C-alpha cells in the first residue's frame, strides 16, 4: 500500500511564503521526507485539513493561478517547487517544469500523442472516502476541455471533473471522486486535442471520511438554513414595558425550504394518491401534463384539461407548482406533427405554443423550465436560428413576469463524464441566454435535474459542481431528483438529498419520485398500497428533520427571548404568567432575520 502525506499548509499566505523562500521550502521538503520514512505502511498523517472543506470557486480566467487548496492534500510537490519530484510521465510525450516571468513554476505536458498523455502521480484511495480535487490549468493554444482523470488499478479511467482551459490565463478545475474500493490510482490530466500542451499548477487532492463529510453538511445547515432571532414581549397596556417571564410557544406553519415531488395525472384518479401527496409536499412539478406533446397531440387541437385539473388540486391543497416545460430541445420529444414542419411553420407553431401555455398559467406558477435540456440538444436552434431559445426566454418573461425562468439540464451535478454539460459549460450557456438583449433583468434560475444511477453517488463531484454553479449568483434547484433501483437506493437517495439541502447555493429540491401506483417505479417512495418503501422512509424522515419542532420557552426578566430557528413561517403564542391572558401572531424567519428584533404585545 502506498504511503501518502497530506499537505502541511491550510492557508494561502503560507503557500505564498513557500514560493518566496527557497530555504524554507527545502526545510519543509526535508521534514516531509523524514516524516514519510517514519510512517508505517499505509499510515496517513492527520493535518488541520482533515475536517475542512474549501467551497471557494471561480470561473474567471486569471493571469496567475489561484491559491493552492488544502496545501495540496495527499499530493506531493503540488506546486512543482521541487521540479518533477513525485510526478511521472504517463503514456507518450514529455513533461517539464517551466518558470513564468513572475517566477511561478508549473508543469507542462507536451508532444502528446493520445488524450491521456500527461504527467501523473500515484495516490492511495481508501474505500468510503470522498476526495476533493482542484488544480489550475491552461493550454498552450486556443481553448480546450481539460479533465482530471483517475486511472484505477484495473485500468479504468474515471473522470473527476473538467474545465474549458484557455491560452494565456489560468482556469480552476474543481471536482472529485468517491472511492468505491481501496486501491492505488494514478491522477492524470486529459485533453482530446493532442496538439496542445497542458499546463497545470497548484494541484490538490484532499480526502474526507463520510463522517467528516456529514459534519460539513451539518455545519452548513446551521449557517444557511437557520437564523438566530430575538423577541421582545411587551405589555399592550404599557407600551415598551417588558413582560418578564412570559410563556412562549413557537410552532412552524410552513418550512422555508421548498422540498417537493413530481406529480402525474394519476393524482386525479385516486384519493389515496391525493392524501399521500398533500400530507407531505407543498411543492410539485407536473412530470408530463404541461408538455407540448401532452397539450397538443394533434396540430390545432389543444387540450389543457388534465393540467388544469392537476393545478386545481394543487391550489386547493396549497401546493406550489413549477411549470415544466414550455419547450423541450430534444428532437424525439416533439409532438409527432411538429417534426414534419418547415422552419416557417415551426416558428408559427412555436409562437402559438408559448403564448398559449405561458399565458394560460401566468401568475399561477413559481417557475418555468423554458427550453428544457438546452445544452444537450438544439432542435429549435437548428431549425430557427442560434438565438431561438434566448428569444423564448424573453417571450416567456413578458407573458409571465411573476415566475422565475430556469435553464434545466441533466448530468451537470451527477455525472462528471458528460463534459457537454459540465458546470463551466452550463454557466457559459446560461450567460449566453440571459445576456441576450432584453434578457438581463429576467429573474433566472439554475435547474439541475439530479438523475443518479445505481452506484455510489459522487458527492465530491456534486458538491464541487454546485460550488461552481453558485458563482452565477442565482437560485439553484434540483428539479428532478431520482436514484436508480438497487440494494442501496434508499441510502444513496438520502446522501444526495442531504448534500443538496446543505449546500448554500441550493434553494429548492423537487424529486421525480412517488408511489408505485402512479408508475414511479424507478424511485418508488410507496408501494401499490401506499405503504412506504425504504426510500419513502428516508423522505419522510427528512421532511420531519427539516421542520422545526414546537418550542416552549420563557422570556427573561425584561421580556427578551432568543433562539435559533429554521427558516420558514411561524406562529407564536405568548401567555402572561400573572394574568394568564395570551395572544397569537405569525412571523417569518429568513436568512436576514438575525438583523431583526421581533416585538410582540400581550
Amino acid at each position: 500500500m502506498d504511503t501518502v502525506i497530506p499537505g502541511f499548509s491550510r492557508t494561502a499566505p503560507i503557500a505564498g511564503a513557500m514560493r518566496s523562500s527557497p530555504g524554507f521550502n527545502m526545510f519543509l521538503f526535508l521534514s516531509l521526507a523524514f516524516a514519510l520514512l517514519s510512517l508505517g505502511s499505509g499510515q496517513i498523517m492527520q493535518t488541520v485539513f482533515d475536517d475542512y472543506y474549501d467551497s471557494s470557486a471561480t470561473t474567471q480566467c486569471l493571469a496567475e493561478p489561484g491559491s493552492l487548496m488544502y496545501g495540496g492534500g495527499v499530493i506531493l510537490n503540488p506546486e512543482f517547487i521541487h521540479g518533477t519530484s513525485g510526478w511521472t510521465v504517463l503514456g507518450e510525450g514529455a513533461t517539464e517544469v517551466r518558470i513564468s516571468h513572475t517566477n511561478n513554476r508549473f508543469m507542462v505536458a507536451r508532444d502528446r500523442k493520445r488524450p491521456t498523455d500527461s504527467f501523473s502521480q500515484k495516490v492511495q484511495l481508501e474505500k468510503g472516502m470522498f476526495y476533493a480535487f482542484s488544480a489550475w490549468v491552461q493550454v498552450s493554444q486556443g481553448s480546450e476541455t481539460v479533465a482530471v482523470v483517475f486511472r484505477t488499478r484495473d485500468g479504468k479511467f474515471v473522470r473527476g471533473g473538467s474545465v474549458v482551459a484557455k491560452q494565456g490565463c489560468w482556469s480552476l478545475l474543481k471536482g472529485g471522486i468517491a472511492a468505491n474500493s481501496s486501491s492505488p490510482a494514478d491522477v492524470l490530466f486529459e485533453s482530446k486535442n493532442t496538439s496542445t500542451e497542458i499546463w497545470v499548477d497548484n494541484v490538490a487532492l484532499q480526502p474526507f471520511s463520510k463522517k467528516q463529510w456529514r459534519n460539513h453538511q451539518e455545519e452548513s445547515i446551521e449557517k444557511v438554513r437557520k437564523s438566530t432571532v430575538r423577541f421582545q414581549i411587551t405589555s399592550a397596556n404599557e407600551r415598551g414595558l417588558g413582560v418578564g417571564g412570559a410563556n412562549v410557544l413557537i410552532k412552524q406553519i410552513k418550512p422555508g425550504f421548498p422540498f417537493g415531488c413530481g406529480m402525474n395525472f394519476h393524482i386525479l384518479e385516486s384519493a389515496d394518491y391525493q392524501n399521500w401527496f398533500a400530507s407531505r409536499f407543498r411543492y410539485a412539478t407536473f412530470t408530463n401534463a404541461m408538455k407540448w406533446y401532452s397539450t397538443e397531440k394533434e396540430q390545432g387541437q389543444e387540450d389543457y384539461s388534465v393540467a388544469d385539473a392537476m393545478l386545481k388540486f394543487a391550489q386547493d391543497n396549497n401546493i406550489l407548482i413549477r411549470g415544466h416545460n414550455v419547450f423541450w430541445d430534444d428532437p424525439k420529444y416533439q409532438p409527432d406533427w411538429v417534426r414534419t414542419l418547415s422552419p416557417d411553420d415551426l416558428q408559427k407553431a412555436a409562437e402559438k405554443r408559448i403564448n398559449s401555455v405561458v399565458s394560460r398559467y401566468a401568475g399561477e406558477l413559481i417557475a418555468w423550465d423554458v427550453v428544457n435540456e438546452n445544452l444537450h440538444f438544439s432542435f429549435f436552434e437548428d431549425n430557427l436560428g442560434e438565438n431561438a431559445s434566448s428569444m423564448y426566454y424573453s417571450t416567456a418573461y413578458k407573458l409571465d413576469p411573476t415566475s422565475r425562468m430556469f435553464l434545466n439540464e441533466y448530468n451537470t451535478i451527477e455525472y462528471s463524464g458528460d463534459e457537454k454539460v459540465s458546470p463551466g459549460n452550463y454557466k457559459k450557456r446560461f450567460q449566453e441566454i440571459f445576456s441576450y438583449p432584453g434578457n438581463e433583468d429576467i429573474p433566472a434560475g439554475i435547474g439541475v435535474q439530479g438523475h443518479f444511477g445505481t452506484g455510489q453517488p459522487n458527492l465530491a463531484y456534486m458538491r464541487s459542481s454546485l460550488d461552481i454553479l453558485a458563482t452565477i449568483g442565482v437560485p439553484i434547484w434540483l428539479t428532478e431528483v431520482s436514484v436508480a433501483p438497487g440494494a442501496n437506493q434508499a441510502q444513496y437517495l438520502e446522501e444526495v438529498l442531504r448534500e443538496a439541502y446543505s449546500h448554500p447555493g441550493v434553494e429548492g429540491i423537487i424529486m421525480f419520485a412517488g408511489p408505485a401506483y402512479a408508475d414511479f417505479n424507478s424511485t418508488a417512495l410507496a408501494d401499490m398500497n401506499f405503504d412506504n418503501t425504504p426510500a419513502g422512509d428516508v423522505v419522510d424522515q427528512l421532511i420531519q428533520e427539516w421542520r422545526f419542532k414546537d418550542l416552549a420557552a420563557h422570556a427573561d426578566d425584561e421580556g427578551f427571548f432568543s433562539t435559533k430557528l429554521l427558516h420558514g413561517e411561524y406562529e407564536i403564542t405568548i401567555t402572561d404568567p400573572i394574568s394568564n391572558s395570551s395572544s397569537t401572531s405569525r412571523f417569518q424567519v429568513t436568512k436576514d432575520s438575525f438583523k431583526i428584533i421581533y416585538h410582540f404585545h400581550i
Side-chain angles (χ1 to χ4, degrees):
M1 182 181 295
D2 288 4
T3 302
V4 290
I5 300 180
F8 41 80
S9 165
R10 178 170 182 166
T11 61
I14 295 180
M18 289 167 57
R19 288 193 183 278
S20 61
S21 177
F24 183 60
N25 293 342
M26 183 56 67
F27 170 76
L28 286 172
F29 181 70
L30 291 174
S31 298
L32 280 171
F34 176 78
L36 179 61
L37 292 172
S38 301
L39 287 172
S41 177
Q43 184 180 356
I44 301 177
M45 288 181 63
Q46 301 298 309
T47 72
V48 292
F49 298 114
D50 280 355
D51 57 1
Y52 162 73
Y53 175 80
D54 192 335
S55 62
S56 60
T58 182
T59 56
Q60 293 182 337
C61 204
L62 307 179
E64 293 291 329
S67 299
L68 175 69
M69 294 184 181
Y70 313 111
V74 299
I75 298 294
L76 296 176
N77 190 22
E79 299 172 285
F80 307 105
I81 294 172
H82 309 293
T84 61
S85 177
W87 298 87
T88 59
V89 179
L90 184 83
E92 301 182 48
T95 63
E96 63 183 6
V97 172
R98 294 181 188 166
I99 304 177
S100 71
H101 67 279
T102 59
N103 204 35
N104 176 55
R105 296 172 182 267
F106 57 93
M107 183 77 96
V108 175
R110 57 178 174 81
D111 301 329
R112 301 165 54 244
K113 303 296 188 297
R114 296 176 301 183
T116 54
D117 287 347
S118 70
F119 38 87
S120 70
Q121 185 169 135
K122 192 174 292 295
V123 298
Q124 178 68 29
L125 301 181
E126 299 296 337
K127 184 177 181 179
M129 301 286 283
F130 296 114
Y131 291 82
F133 177 85
S134 65
W136 289 85
V137 299
Q138 187 175 162
V139 291
S140 58
Q141 56 187 11
S143 63
E144 299 290 341
T145 296
V146 176
V148 61
V149 178
F150 296 83
R151 187 177 69 170
T152 59
R153 181 167 48 192
D154 58 5
K156 292 182 179 178
F157 288 79
V158 180
R159 279 197 170 203
S162 64
V163 69
V164 177
K166 301 176 182 178
Q167 176 186 3
C169 57
W170 294 91
S171 298
L172 174 64
L173 197 174
K174 193 172 188 185
I177 188 172
N180 294 320
S181 62
S182 296
S183 69
D186 296 303
V187 183
L188 60 123
F189 296 88
E190 176 188 53
S191 180
K192 292 178 182 177
N193 184 355
T194 57
S195 65
T196 189
E197 296 177 349
I198 302 175
W199 300 2
V200 176
D201 198 7
N202 290 353
V203 186
L205 185 68
Q206 177 64 22
F208 297 100
S209 69
K210 286 190 175 182
K211 181 179 179 180
Q212 290 167 337
W213 204 260
R214 180 69 174 270
N215 288 341
H216 302 162
Q217 294 171 345
E218 296 301 326
E219 291 168 4
S220 180
I221 289 169
E222 288 294 314
K223 292 178 182 178
V224 305
R225 305 292 175 216
K226 298 180 181 181
S227 292
T228 298
V229 293
R230 195 178 190 203
F231 304 89
Q232 184 183 27
I233 315 303
T234 57
S235 171
N237 298 323
E238 302 178 68
R239 292 296 179 96
L241 181 63
V243 180
N247 298 313
V248 177
L249 176 63
I250 297 175
K251 296 184 177 182
Q252 188 180 63
I253 304 303
K254 181 181 178 181
F257 183 85
F259 181 45
C261 195
M263 180 194 296
N264 64 27
F265 71 94
H266 289 291
I267 201 83
L268 305 175
E269 306 168 345
S270 167
D272 288 336
Y273 185 12
Q274 293 171 10
N275 293 334
W276 179 89
F277 200 105
S279 65
R280 288 168 169 80
F281 303 112
R282 290 293 171 264
Y283 294 85
T285 299
F286 300 166
T287 56
N288 293 309
M290 286 186 179
K291 291 173 181 173
W292 197 0
Y293 61 63
S294 295
T295 63
E296 194 176 1
K297 295 178 182 178
E298 302 293 334
Q299 187 173 12
Q301 299 179 23
E302 292 184 330
D303 182 359
Y304 289 98
S305 59
V306 173
D308 288 351
M310 291 174 64
L311 182 61
K312 183 180 185 306
F313 164 78
Q315 293 174 336
D316 289 346
N317 288 276
N318 299 313
I319 298 167
L320 300 176
I321 302 298
R322 297 185 71 258
H324 179 74
N325 49 52
V326 179
F327 294 116
W328 197 343
D329 234 348
D330 189 339
K332 73 177 182 180
Y333 289 116
Q334 308 306 321
D336 291 340
W337 59 269
V338 166
R339 291 195 293 267
T340 69
L341 299 177
S342 68
D344 286 344
D345 288 340
L346 173 61
Q347 184 171 2
K348 293 174 184 177
E351 288 176 0
K352 181 174 179 290
R353 157 66 179 175
I354 192 171
N355 279 279
S356 174
V357 70
V358 179
S359 297
R360 188 179 192 88
Y361 299 114
E364 300 191 86
L365 308 177
I366 61 172
W368 275 110
D369 295 329
V370 180
V371 185
N372 196 43
E373 298 173 1
N374 189 243
L375 279 81
H376 275 107
F377 307 106
S378 55
F379 176 79
F380 293 96
E381 290 80 0
D382 293 342
N383 287 278
L384 302 177
E386 63 180 2
N387 293 320
S389 290
S390 298
M391 291 187 287
Y392 289 140
Y393 276 85
S394 177
T395 300
Y397 175 61
K398 290 174 183 175
L399 294 170
D400 187 6
T402 64
S403 291
R404 189 170 292 276
M405 304 295 162
F406 278 77
L407 179 63
N408 192 44
E409 261 299 351
Y410 65 90
N411 280 354
T412 301
I413 63 169
E414 58 264 52
Y415 180 51
S416 58
D418 194 346
E419 64 184 50
K420 183 181 290 187
V421 290
S422 68
N425 282 335
Y426 182 105
K427 182 175 183 178
K428 180 175 180 290
R429 183 62 181 138
F430 183 97
Q431 291 175 329
E432 289 170 353
I433 289 173
F434 292 102
S435 64
Y436 183 78
N439 288 3
E440 299 89 345
D441 297 325
I442 291 177
I446 296 168
V448 285
Q449 295 180 12
H451 293 294
F452 290 83
T454 56
Q456 167 75 45
N458 187 351
L459 299 187
Y461 179 75
M462 178 181 174
R463 184 179 292 184
S464 70
S465 298
L466 291 171
D467 291 344
I468 295 168
L469 293 172
T471 65
I472 299 176
V474 303
I476 302 171
W477 280 57
L478 273 68
T479 56
E480 305 180 18
V481 175
S482 68
V483 173
N488 299 310
Q489 182 186 46
Q491 173 193 333
Y492 294 160
L493 177 63
E494 179 177 357
E495 290 177 359
V496 168
L497 294 175
R498 287 189 182 279
E499 186 64 37
Y501 179 71
S502 67
H503 196 281
V506 174
E507 295 194 11
I509 301 172
I510 302 289
M511 299 175 290
F512 264 29
Y517 169 87
D519 297 328
F520 287 100
N521 297 314
S522 176
T523 308
L525 303 181
D527 63 19
M528 294 296 292
N529 297 316
F530 293 93
D531 293 325
N532 269 9
T533 64
D537 286 339
V538 162
V539 170
D540 283 355
Q541 171 193 333
L542 293 178
I543 289 172
Q544 292 304 314
E545 185 178 323
W546 297 342
R547 290 185 66 94
F548 183 79
K549 309 299 185 295
D550 293 356
L551 173 66
H554 304 282
D556 65 15
D557 291 344
E558 297 180 351
F560 285 100
F561 167 68
S562 296
T563 190
K564 198 166 192 177
L565 299 177
L566 284 161
H567 299 161
E569 296 179 18
Y570 288 84
E571 181 180 87
I572 183 170
T573 299
I574 307 157
T575 305
D576 189 312
I578 298 176
S579 68
N580 209 36
S581 61
S582 65
S583 67
T584 299
S585 304
R586 289 197 174 189
F587 65 98
Q588 189 166 10
V589 178
T590 70
K591 62 183 179 181
D592 297 320
S593 292
F594 69 93
K595 304 175 184 177
I596 303 170
I597 297 179
Y598 294 86
H599 297 279
F600 295 103
H601 306 299
I602 187 174

